[in-house]
Amino acid sequence: MSYSKTILETDMELLTAALTQRKVSVWSRTADDIYVELEPGGIIRKFTAYSVKINNSYFLREECEFRVRD
């Protein structure tokens, strides 16, 4: 079983994840450079050049990392 992660960075990657309804988790770095999980997993509902909406929450693209499991 593979537990590698795929980080979504481009519009095309986000669009593909949204259309295929892949569960995406959201991660952010703390001031101590430690990653924390902000959203355990949900479907991308909307995205713009600046934000991604997962479930009912918006996350800034420049501050967060969006991951799907392979």
Side-chain angles (χ1 to χ4, degrees), residues 4-5 7-10 19 22 24 28 30-33 38 42-44 51 54-56 60 64-65 67-68:
S4 64
K5 64 183 177 203
I7 299 172
L8 306 175
E9 295 178 3
T10 66
L19 292 175
R22 301 280 310 266
V24 177
S28 183
T30 65
D32 298 328
D33 206 30
L38 302 176
I43 305 298
I44 295 174
S51 66
I54 297 177
N55 296 327
N56 292 321
L60 295 176
C64 297
E65 188 172 273
R67 300 177 184 177
V68 292

Side-chain angles (χ1 to χ4, degrees), residues 14-68:
L14 291 168
L15 178 62
T16 301
L19 292 175
T20 57
Q21 296 190 342
R22 301 280 310 266
K23 289 211 175 195
V24 177
S25 61
V26 182
W27 295 76
S28 183
R29 284 187 183 187
T30 65
D32 298 328
D33 206 30
I34 299 169
Y35 278 100
V36 294
E37 189 174 35
L38 302 176
E39 171 66 49
I43 305 298
I44 295 174
R45 301 294 179 198
K46 177 181 179 180
F47 69 91
T48 68
Y50 306 103
S51 66
V52 177
K53 181 180 182 183
I54 297 177
N55 296 327
N56 292 321
S57 300
Y58 286 88
F59 302 95
L60 295 176
R61 287 176 70 169
E62 69 178 40
E63 294 180 9
C64 297
E65 188 172 273
F66 305 92
R67 300 177 184 177
V68 292

